Amino acid sequence: MSARSCSALSTCCLVVGLGAAAPAAAYSLQEVAAALDRPLFVTAPAGDDRLFVVGRGGVITAIDRAAGTQSSFLDISARVSSLEGERGLLGLAFDPQFGSNGHFYVNYTDVDTGHTIIERYTATPDRALGDPDSVHRLMTIEQPVQHANHKGGWIGFRPGEGDNLYIATGDGGGSGDPLGSGQNVNTNLGKILRIGVRGDDFAGDDGRNYTIPGTNPYAGATAGNDEIWAIGLRNPFRNSFDRETGDFWIADVGQDAREEVNVVLADAADGERNFGWNIREGTVGGAVPNSIDPVYEYAHDGSGASITGGHVYRGPIEALQGTYFFGDFVRGTVGSFRLVDGAVTELTDWTPVVVEAGISSIASFGEDAAGNLYVVDYGGTVAVLVPEPQTWALLGAGIALLGFVVRRRRR
Ligand SMILES: [Ca+2]
Ligand SMILES: [Ca+2]
Ligand SMILES: [Ca+2]
């Protein structure tokens, strides 16, 4: 996966951003699974205790932490190209109605063509297994055969929006966007796409089996591909929706200048959105119309860098609520911040926590149904963020103290 960046591995554990403070040694990463084949993502359907790990080779592994079991949920490795560049099984999203319809969606590069494939599969009635024969292809996104990098790969549903699947694509690969994908509204590369997963607006086309949301900016007669939701992305490697607010967090891997984190708030108006590539990299470069600049970016500072976007924490640890976590695949760093009125605050370096856990190749983050935050090491480990036992004791003491204060005030 090193092709995501163009520079040599940084040998130091530099702070991810400027002036970051280290968290108190109050948290650790607890191993959930190890020796997996090139894990790239984890997720889970609502109301399900299991964690699903996307393996680049084409296997989705189900982990039941409570039961202590780990098993293959779906194996489509025969369909997946995963040996070159950044190709592979890259994305997984469970249908918002998974519990009732058993549907889930994958994003992978095809073993024969290298094209990006978006497919739906259905789980068995007890939801224990995904059925490889239930395959239903939604769309194919043509990729250039000469480039094996910048395939994006994340897919997801915005909480509360219903049936629209968002799909992140890279510019198709190569250095500097040689295909001119980013700003071209007539290609689905270098974009965030949005399609409806119920129904088929293309009855005469067996290769397109989805609907076009009417509020997509180029839908219908407007020039540009109807599937596009936003343009100007290089390689959006790991995006997420804040499960509480619906805000959309998009991390885009830079070329030589900047790694960036972008946010589109849930209540943002419909319309054209341009993340700038390949005219702008972060806030560097020329102007584009309908520009969205990152809320946070960092420079390469002479060493390699490749951002791995994460999540806004909404799990059981109260102190971390609303904190956005992200990493860097090349540097092996993890950082966090809060976004308050559009401004980055509480920038924090978590690198000592990942180093302590032996994690160095941060390919992704992920959440389970309860909102626990996971870190995915491309080397094979998945770990969950937990408070150190003494922190629980401190929290307990704090709560006890708070109770004492409240009682005193009531007197
Ligand atoms: Ca069709
Ligand atoms: Ca159109
Ligand atoms: Ca950008």
Side-chain angles (χ1 to χ4, degrees), residues 200-210:
D200 182 0
D201 284 348
F202 312 95
D205 186 344
D206 287 346
R208 301 168 83 191
N209 302 302
Y210 50 89

Side-chain angles (χ1 to χ4, degrees), residues 185-186 217-227:
V185 297
N186 297 306
Y218 311 102
T222 306
N225 286 5
D226 296 0
E227 295 85 355

